[in-house]
Amino acid sequence: MSGASEALLPAMIREKMAEFIPVEPFDIVIMGGNGDLSRRKLLPALFHRHLDGQIHPSCRIVAVARQNMSRADFVDFAEVACRKATQNWDESTWTDFASRLFYQIMDATDKNGPWDKIKKHLTRDDRICVFYLATTPRIYVDICDALKANGLNGPWSRLVLEKPIGTDLASAREINRGVGAVFPENSIYRIDHYLGKETVQNLLVLRFANTLFEPVWSRNTIDHVQITVAESLGLEGRADYFDRSGAVRDMIQNHLLQLLCLTAMEPPNELDADSVRTEKIKVLKALQRFTPNNVKQNSVRAQHKAGLVDGKAVPGYLENLSSGESSTETFVALKVEVANWRWAGVPFYLRTGKRMESRRSEIVVQFKPTPHRLFENADRAPNQLVIRLQPDEGMRLYMQIKEPGPGRMRLKSLPLNLAYAEEFLVRYPDAYERLLMDVIRGNLSLFMRSDEVEEAWRWVDALLQAWEDSDQPLETYQAGTDGPLQSAMLIDRDGRNWWNSK
Ligand code: BG6
């Protein structure tokens, strides 16, 4: 919304709207600039920050890719992407944004490429310059070497690495070592876009800006925690990448482990990047490792078959692949334990999958039932705190309430409901908008440190190895469902159920 139209809104509404504090002038170079991430996320994110007047008019956006494309073609590509992601399209704002866009054909790993042409677009001196590597991680180190060879790794440079950082601990270390030889750790921003989601940041606020939850946030009162990231989408043109990764590497290693860390970590003494990241890494270190002996009991891997999603017939996973063969998992369910004083004995159930019934990401903290049944004929239904990350962001705290009426005392579980959309009249910014602005502000709190990434891989490597050593079976599930039966059985064995907020 532009400044002028904003001023016409009633004061009450204006108060509820987000404030945008302009960031320092910067330039950004996106390697892989005509790729999927750039199209779906980065260009629309920059455009929205431009719409809100947060980025300086002199900011330049340079896309670098090998594909032969003219600047006009790239501007068309960006326009299609931004229109798709924008509700109130304004032609003159677009024209203004488009004038900042440039395209350079180049192999970014080639030290002898036309780097001078890129430099011409950059303001340099001491202006912040962001190099965003939206390419395959296999070439991260080579790109950094090329940046160094061309003098682009100065103190004003910031490097953004998109996940996944490697495919296992060894490759992650190699990348960290290679990029670390060119950029200092405090100039490297490793993105996990889940950390940029509003509700995920709100989890920190909920836990550490309220006194209510901390005293009950432990094994004394919490029965278990569930973290679900369900997607109704399939591979969306990324079959090659996904088939090499699978749901564990694509989702668990990063997004779900990050959510687990924020839920389980101790309060940091400050909010600076290192304090937060140090607490998260302690959680990763306390995660019990899978072994061939415990993995069957505590994990499920599955691949989807054909089915109906949102009323539409979708093909099975294998039909997306040219080979028609694969044992890659599109769904995982895990029971894990954070082995420390606070959480000993509290299971954390994690699950994620493609082509599930609906898109739904949430964290459910289930408290223990009351120790004594006071109300006859009433269930000792436990309190639950449901943190909804998407869609319909918000939080619900389920409480036992007396049903009105003069008859016998009847209890019902109902939520205290905080729906963000009703409370705040703001458009929910995409996670990349916040994260890109944090890169410019130099705020590393929402980015992963090298040791954090490596610790997560160490744990994931053990899981993958345990699957391999124990010949863990690959189950199947029908697209458009909640996953395989074995996932329901995993939690049912403990006398619990997956939370179902449909
Ligand atoms: C990405 C994964 O990191 O996250 C994708 O590579 C997944 O496979 C996506 O679809 C999910 O993100 P979101 O924000 O849509 O929940």
Side-chain angles (χ1 to χ4, degrees), residues 40-41 162-163 193-194 197 229 231 233-234 238 241-242 250-251 254-255 354 359 361 390 432:
R40 281 189 309 113
K41 297 291 183 182
E162 186 58 38
K163 71 143 261 260
H193 77 278
Y194 266 58
K197 290 189 190 270
V229 178
E231 295 183 85
L233 288 180
R238 296 191 315 153
Y241 153 77
F242 191 88
D250 186 48
M251 298 294 288
N254 34 79
H255 306 327
K354 303 271 182 212
R359 176 175 186 248
S361 300
Q390 58 193 27
Y432 280 90

Side-chain angles (χ1 to χ4, degrees), residues 480-499:
T481 65
D482 247 3
L485 180 65
Q486 289 76 4
S487 152
M489 282 157 56
L490 171 93
I491 189 164
D492 179 73
R493 273 199 290 275
D494 297 339
R496 301 180 174 109
N497 300 308
W498 289 112
W499 168 258

Side-chain angles (χ1 to χ4, degrees), residues 125-142:
D125 300 327
D126 49 7
R127 174 195 273 234
I128 293 167
C129 185
V130 178
F131 295 98
Y132 198 120
L133 310 198
T135 63
T136 162
R138 285 195 299 274
I139 59 171
Y140 285 173
V141 176
D142 292 341

Side-chain angles (χ1 to χ4, degrees), residues 51 86 112 123 166 279 413 444 481:
L51 269 174
T86 309
N112 302 315
T123 317
E279 291 309 331
S413 185
L444 281 152
T481 65

